[in-house]
Amino acid sequence: MGLFDRVLGAQRRTDVTLGPAEAFIGIPLLAIAADGYIAKEEVQVLVTTLCRLKMFRSYSSDVIASTIDRLMGVIQRQGPEALLSAAVATLPHDLYETIFAVTTDIILADGEVSPEEEVLLNELHQLLNIPDDLAVQIINVMIIKNRG
């Protein structure tokens, strides 16, 4: 541990402040980053998915992409846990089920679920208090959606 880590370590981990839109973007971004690599194609899928949602209709794809870049910096500097904590703390409760569905869709888009993605989805399920039966229903629907 370096000198700055000792002095600023706790501060660096807790200084993530997000707006609701950033929180919403950050959670599925964590799913994309869960395997330690973020491919441009994955980012494009996320941008396209977000642009289809009512809350992001007024956002250009460039604005969403720049938000993603900023949030990737948060992941690199402060770690995925800091982004997840800040996102869950900021996200309006009425979007919990929606973000769980969007994140599940992003995870299942490539037809495979990595162990890291599964851990993230389980953690998200717990943090957002999504009822088990609803979580299973969302996962089943997204599996069907992503078959074709």
Side-chain angles (χ1 to χ4, degrees):
M1 178 182 285
L3 292 175
F4 283 100
D5 289 332
R6 289 184 209 166
V7 175
L8 300 174
Q11 181 181 3
R12 286 182 182 169
R13 298 237 179 253
T14 59
D15 283 352
V16 179
T17 303
L18 305 173
E22 292 171 310
F24 197 97
I25 294 169
I27 292 173
L29 178 61
L30 287 167
I32 291 171
D35 62 1
Y37 177 73
I38 301 174
K40 287 183 181 184
E41 297 81 15
E42 291 174 315
V43 172
Q44 188 54 50
V45 168
L46 177 57
V47 170
T48 301
T49 299
L50 293 170
C51 284
R52 291 181 186 160
L53 298 173
K54 184 170 51 172
M55 75 180 286
F56 291 103
R57 285 200 182 128
S58 66
Y59 288 60
S60 71
S61 57
D62 289 340
V63 169
I64 293 173
S66 68
T67 302
I68 289 170
D69 287 342
R70 188 179 92 65
L71 294 172
M72 286 192 306
V74 171
I75 293 169
Q76 291 170 343
R77 287 186 307 278
Q78 295 168 285
E81 301 83 14
L83 180 56
L84 182 60
S85 294
V88 169
T90 305
L91 192 69
H93 292 284
D94 63 329
L95 293 175
Y96 279 13
E97 294 169 356
T98 305
I99 196 59
F100 186 81
V102 168
T103 304
T104 301
D105 188 24
I106 294 292
I107 286 173
L108 292 169
D110 64 0
E112 297 177 20
V113 179
S114 72
E116 297 87 0
E117 291 169 333
E118 186 175 350
V119 166
L120 175 66
L121 199 58
N122 284 325
E123 186 175 4
L124 194 58
H125 166 245
Q126 296 300 317
L127 289 171
L128 300 178
N129 294 314
I130 304 292
D132 290 349
D133 58 333
L134 179 59
V136 169
Q137 185 178 13
I138 289 169
I139 291 167
N140 282 329
V141 168
M142 294 305 162
I143 287 171
I144 293 167
K145 176 193 173 280
N146 286 295
R147 273 190 206 150

